[in-house]
Amino acid sequence: MKKTIAVILLVLLALMLTACQDDNQETNENANNANAVNVNATPTPAPTPVPTATPFPRVPVENYVMIWKSNPNRGINYMVPTHWEQGEQGERYVTYYEPVPSGETGFRVSFTNKKMSKEPDSGRMRNELRDLLDQMKEVYDQFETDGNISRDYSLVRFRGFHSYYTFVDEYGVKIKGFAIMATYNRRIYCMTFQGPEARFDTMSPIGTKMMESMARS
């Protein structure tokens, strides 16, 4: 009996030792596995914030506000949008640009006058406009005009000589514009207005306002 009890105790002890070894082995294996995960895991980099593009504050045409400009040296008064930027200017000309993001083409307007030795007649005015269009053709790519010169509009309160044109700018954008000339007191007054053809119909009322506002000072 004592021998039997002793055998049972030895078996239980052996089982306990085996269980402890299994527990220790499992604990060690778990620890090793955790260490392996820690060693082998690749840290996930934090996502790089994507900058939010700031929208360009383009002013809708219906919200345009016009302002009068005057320069006695140029002998002209005119209206331009308050937010347009003044560009090139000289003794007898001045330009204004629609502000747009870099790489985009906006609209522009120019006002000019020049003094003549005598009052130009209708033939001379047509030639002056054709000369201007020829000069533009030398500057702009794929410049085209139908050659039609109309007298449907007025400039400085006189019927002007008017023509439309198109060309392609350095960004590959097709540009549409018009040039108009009128004469008074041995001076030729001229205005050009141009911008992307895709927006020309939308912006045309602004060009018309500026054309109708141009006056002698």
Side-chain angles (χ1 to χ4, degrees):
M1 182 69 177
K2 291 182 179 178
K3 186 176 180 180
T4 302
I5 294 173
V7 170
I8 293 172
L9 290 175
L10 288 173
V11 171
L12 291 175
L13 179 61
L15 291 173
M16 290 176 63
L17 290 173
T18 302
C20 289
Q21 290 175 355
D22 290 342
D23 289 343
N24 290 336
Q25 182 177 357
E26 183 177 355
T27 302
N28 291 335
E29 288 179 355
N30 290 338
N32 291 335
N33 289 337
N35 289 334
V37 170
N38 291 334
V39 170
N40 296 327
T42 302
T44 302
T48 303
V50 177
T52 303
T54 303
F56 190 83
R58 191 187 301 280
V59 179
V61 172
E62 60 271 21
N63 294 338
Y64 266 37
V65 177
M66 310 293 285
I67 187 173
W68 278 102
K69 298 285 185 178
S70 177
N71 191 313
N73 292 333
R74 298 188 185 99
I76 49 177
N77 300 325
Y78 48 85
M79 294 183 77
V80 292
T82 53
H83 66 289
W84 281 27
E85 300 171 352
Q86 183 173 313
E88 302 90 350
Q89 60 178 321
E91 182 180 358
R92 293 296 175 187
Y93 71 92
V94 62
T95 61
Y96 292 87
Y97 293 88
E98 175 195 19
V100 293
S102 177
E104 185 176 329
T105 304
F107 276 76
R108 69 181 292 272
V109 63
S110 68
F111 303 97
T112 312
N113 83 44
K114 68 175 182 178
K115 191 172 183 178
M116 308 295 289
S117 59
K118 62 180 181 179
E119 192 69 31
D121 59 15
S122 177
R124 177 63 185 272
M125 289 297 296
R126 291 178 182 275
N127 287 337
E128 287 285 335
L129 182 52
R130 291 191 186 98
D131 287 346
L132 173 63
L133 297 174
D134 287 343
Q135 292 171 21
M136 296 174 76
K137 188 174 184 178
E138 295 296 322
V139 175
Y140 299 123
D141 291 335
Q142 302 179 43
F143 185 90
E144 294 182 3
T145 177
D146 59 8
N148 181 45
I149 297 177
S150 69
R151 299 196 69 181
D152 299 330
Y153 303 97
S154 296
L155 193 69
V156 293
R157 306 297 187 267
F158 291 91
R159 289 181 65 192
F161 296 79
H162 182 276
S163 186
Y164 288 96
Y165 56 84
T166 61
F167 63 89
V168 177
D169 73 2
E170 64 269 30
Y171 302 112
V173 177
K174 189 172 184 179
I175 304 298
K176 183 176 180 179
F178 68 78
I180 182 170
M181 291 182 174
T183 181
Y184 172 76
N185 194 24
R186 293 187 302 168
R187 287 187 182 275
I188 293 179
Y189 298 85
C190 178
M191 173 184 155
T192 63
F193 177 78
Q194 64 190 41
E197 185 179 47
R199 296 174 54 216
F200 189 84
D201 289 344
T202 301
M203 293 294 291
S204 185
I206 302 302
T208 300
K209 284 183 180 180
M210 290 189 282
M211 179 176 63
E212 293 175 346
S213 73
M214 188 174 176
R216 310 176 307 276
S217 62

